[in-house]
Amino acid sequence: MMARAQHSVFLDPDALPRAPAGRPARRLVKPWLVPLLVVLLLVHMAVAMVTTAVQQTPTIDEPVYVGSAADYWHEHNLRYNPEHPPLGKLVIGVGVALADPHVDASFTGDQGALGRHLLYESGNDPGHLMLWARLPVIALTLLFGLVVFAFARELAGRAGALAALALYCFSPDVIAHGSLATLDVPAAGFVLTSVWLLWRSRLRPRRYVPLAGVAFGAALATKMSALPAVPVLLALAAVSVWCASASAGRRRALLRAGAGAALVAVVAVAVVWATYLVVDPRLRWQPQQHVPVVHGPRGLLVELVPFPEPYRDGMRIQFGFENHPWEGFLFGRLYTGSLWYYLPAALLVKTPLGMLALWAAGAVAVVALRRLRPASPYLLAPAAVLLLAAMEGSRNFGTRYAVFLPMFLAVAAGCVLVVRWRWTPAVTGALVAFVAVSSLRTYPYYLPYSNEAFGGPARTHQRLHDSNVDWGQDLGRLADRLRERYPRERVWLVYKGSAVPSFYGIDATDPRRVPARQVHGLLVVSDSAAAKATGRLAALIDSSRPVESVGHSITIYRR
């Protein structure tokens, strides 16, 4: 009983702060104000994400996920996109099913062509279909905001929870990727939910340990990048059950801790299997792409995981990607391979300055303050392990690989308000307001956001590329700009994306396919392509004059 009472402070949202002794307690905040602020923050986030979803054309990865989702729902076949498990695409598929597109069951191309065929060659409206595909991810992103609020409220009270939710709702990375039909935010949010449920398991393990297993299984069934968190979450499950069983004796507590970790593992594995069986109860498996052979420790890991064969083949494909010599771009440098410091550097550019300060202060607070220290492994260990795993990856494509940080560290940042210094509330409020202003200033161009220290979104392309700035999202805006300002001019286009320019009325030619002396008029280049330009394209850009930028991701040159 003493152990249970010792930890109950963390689950009592009104325990911090308490009224001074000798004075009658009074309610400093109206009971309706906190729910109202929560609703306002989430409404702001919803408006930002829906606006972004409406205005952006399909990004590079989205058509693959949308096409695969449609195939799952209509053909019940696992053949497409095996490198990612089905759950996230099933969520996207809910929106696709509600849009009721025409699906060509006779199509036999690869997964990239499948998405383009569904969006542009099957008589469907790609804007309508993409909006419906993005809406379920938007809804999930908003629900994860409630998890951030609830987690922070249990640790830091209502004020800390509101600060945490504000940081989450104004995070440019979360808004940018939460408004797309992709898998990064769903996978990260499910991991956060699992950790929060494990934290609650310290008092009620029978209720929350199985639910934590379901949430973590959902993460594993959404994206394989959650796999490095397996040992961390199993250890946290054991710690939570141990704390709940401390009064039962050491031996019994150890047995219960082991059983709790095993239960999380079993439930998570069951969720992964169930996800595949929902798509195809017969688990027919005929991959549409080459599955590499994986040797060594990685190969042994693939053989040992208790998942369906399509999942294990997906792991093999992912390991194959890790062996590919990808090109990267960082601070003006084009390189082949990966840099271990790429993600920290990219996060430094793309995270609001006030948010960086509160993240650091929050991490220090949960470690330094005795009353918060039990929560530090839950908030910091999963995020640290996932970040280290992402840093080891070979694909230096964007901060979306670390989108879990704005979730976990928002909760930690809310804990700053537990520090009983005179200026803590004022400084925290000022930093949150700074984050809000920085986020609102970039609206609706959240994908190319960079903070004020690096020149804002207009200069992101000078330091980063790919999903950090230009993921093919602005082709529709480019079409409008050409139609309004440059009618009947000759257009030469190098577009990095999955959308089809001709569908949006862009009549353009690739300048790399003709002699340079023939390229006159408007040279339009995606900033990611410009960042990696060599040879003929680099010479064309150098001999042209930049005229304007579209969405901070595509540059129009005059030649």
Side-chain angles (χ1 to χ4, degrees):
M1 293 298 293
M2 291 182 63
R4 184 180 296 269
Q6 183 180 4
H7 296 291
S8 63
V9 65
F10 294 103
L11 297 176
D12 181 4
D14 296 317
L16 301 170
R18 296 187 182 278
R23 296 183 183 178
R26 62 176 181 173
R27 193 177 294 273
L28 300 178
V29 179
K30 299 294 183 181
W32 49 265
L33 183 58
V34 172
L36 176 62
L37 292 174
V38 170
V39 169
L40 289 177
L41 286 170
L42 291 176
V43 166
H44 150 74
M45 191 180 201
V47 170
M49 289 192 294
V50 171
T51 303
T52 303
V54 169
Q55 295 185 6
Q56 292 186 157
T57 42
T59 58
I60 290 175
D61 287 1
E62 285 182 293
V64 173
Y65 301 146
V66 172
S68 300
D71 195 65
Y72 290 169
W73 281 83
H74 287 82
E75 302 300 318
H76 301 285
N77 199 305
L78 293 161
R79 56 187 169 170
Y80 289 113
N81 196 230
E83 61 265 35
H84 296 299
L87 181 59
K89 288 166 284 186
L90 287 174
V91 171
I92 293 168
V94 172
V96 174
L98 291 173
D100 193 24
H102 174 263
V103 178
D104 183 2
S106 63
F107 183 80
T108 57
D110 63 25
Q111 60 185 22
L114 171 69
R116 289 191 297 273
H117 183 75
L118 176 69
L119 290 170
Y120 298 105
E121 300 169 8
S122 300
N124 298 310
D125 180 348
H128 175 78
L129 181 54
M130 285 306 308
L131 175 60
W132 277 99
R134 289 164 173 170
L135 285 177
V137 180
I138 291 174
L140 263 184
T141 305
L142 295 172
L143 289 175
F144 294 143
L146 293 177
V147 174
V148 168
F149 178 82
F151 202 167
R153 188 171 186 262
E154 292 168 3
L155 298 174
R158 290 170 297 189
L162 287 173
L165 180 61
L167 292 179
Y168 176 85
C169 289
F170 285 108
S171 168
D173 265 353
V174 175
I175 294 174
H177 296 286
S179 61
L180 300 176
T182 54
L183 310 178
D184 302 288
V185 168
F190 284 133
V191 174
L192 175 73
T193 304
S194 179
V195 171
W196 170 57
L197 292 168
L198 289 175
W199 171 253
R200 295 183 69 88
S201 300
R202 294 167 70 94
L203 289 184
R204 296 182 178 178
R206 291 184 180 180
R207 174 183 296 183
Y208 292 113
V209 167
L211 293 176
V214 172
F216 189 49
L220 294 173
T222 298
K223 200 171 183 188
M224 292 174 187
S225 59
L227 282 169
V230 169
V232 181
L233 266 72
L234 295 185
L236 291 176
V239 168
S240 293
V241 177
W242 167 272
C243 291
S245 308
S247 61
R250 183 179 181 85
R251 182 178 179 183
R252 183 172 294 182
L254 282 173
L255 291 174
R256 289 181 180 178
L263 180 59
V264 169
V266 169
V267 172
V269 170
V271 170
V272 173
W273 274 90
T275 303
Y276 280 88
L277 292 172
V278 164
V279 177
D280 183 2
R282 293 182 290 172
L283 280 180
R284 294 167 296 172
W285 175 229
Q286 294 179 344
Q288 294 290 305
Q289 62 193 89
H290 171 68
V291 178
V293 177
V294 181
H295 300 285
R298 290 177 171 179
L300 180 61
L301 174 63
V302 171
E303 294 299 329
L304 290 177
V305 293
F307 295 139
E309 187 63 23
Y311 194 105
R312 290 188 285 162
D313 273 354
M315 292 178 66
R316 295 183 178 101
I317 293 172
Q318 290 286 358
F319 285 138
F321 288 159
E322 290 300 303
N323 293 328
H324 188 82
W326 303 99
E327 283 189 327
F329 181 81
L330 181 64
F331 293 114
R333 173 191 171 193
L334 180 64
Y335 59 91
T336 300
S338 63
L339 303 174
W340 69 267
Y341 54 86
Y342 171 85
L343 265 180
L347 287 165
L348 188 64
V349 174
K350 290 188 63 65
T351 304
L353 297 173
M355 192 175 292
L356 287 171
L358 286 171
W359 284 2
V364 171
V366 297
V367 172
L369 295 181
R370 183 177 181 182
R371 66 197 314 174
L372 292 174
R373 201 169 295 147
S376 59
Y378 295 81
L379 290 177
L380 303 182
V385 168
L386 289 173
L387 179 61
L388 288 173
M391 288 169 60
E392 285 293 315
S394 65
R395 285 163 281 183
N396 292 170
F397 292 160
T399 54
R400 64 189 179 93
Y401 291 102
V403 76
F404 48 84
L405 284 180
M407 301 181 184
F408 279 92
L409 294 184
V411 179
C415 295
V416 171
L417 288 172
V418 177
V419 178
R420 294 175 181 259
W421 290 350
R422 180 180 179 183
W423 296 103
T424 298
V427 172
T428 302
L431 290 174
V432 170
F434 184 23
V435 171
V437 170
S438 185
S439 178
L440 290 170
R441 287 180 62 192
T442 199
Y443 173 88
Y445 306 112
Y446 292 100
L447 204 62
Y449 172 85
S450 66
N451 61 46
E452 290 76 9
F454 292 93
R459 296 191 177 182
T460 312
H461 69 278
Q462 298 175 358
R463 299 171 177 87
L464 300 166
H465 80 313
D466 208 86
S467 62
N468 283 316
V469 56
D470 166 33
W471 217 13
Q473 74 273 13
D474 284 321
L475 189 64
R477 290 190 177 108
L478 173 64
D480 294 339
R481 189 70 54 85
L482 293 175
R483 192 162 41 247
E484 293 168 1
R485 300 187 183 180
Y486 308 99
R488 295 181 297 277
E489 289 207 40
R490 182 66 185 273
V491 178
W492 303 86
L493 176 65
V494 179
Y495 167 65
K496 185 179 186 297
S498 295
V500 177
S502 60
F503 181 87
Y504 299 93
I506 299 176
D507 182 13
T509 305
D510 189 335
R512 296 167 296 185
R513 297 180 179 179
V514 300
R517 64 179 180 276
Q518 297 182 15
V519 182
H520 296 286
L522 297 178
L523 175 63
V524 182
V525 185
S526 292
D527 287 338
S528 288
K532 299 167 64 174
T534 57
R536 178 178 294 183
L537 179 58
L540 288 171
I541 293 174
D542 290 341
S543 58
S544 302
R545 175 174 56 89
V547 176
E548 64 174 311
S549 175
V550 178
H552 307 304
S553 74
I554 300 174
T555 301
I556 300 176
Y557 302 86
R558 173 74 66 183
R559 179 176 169 80

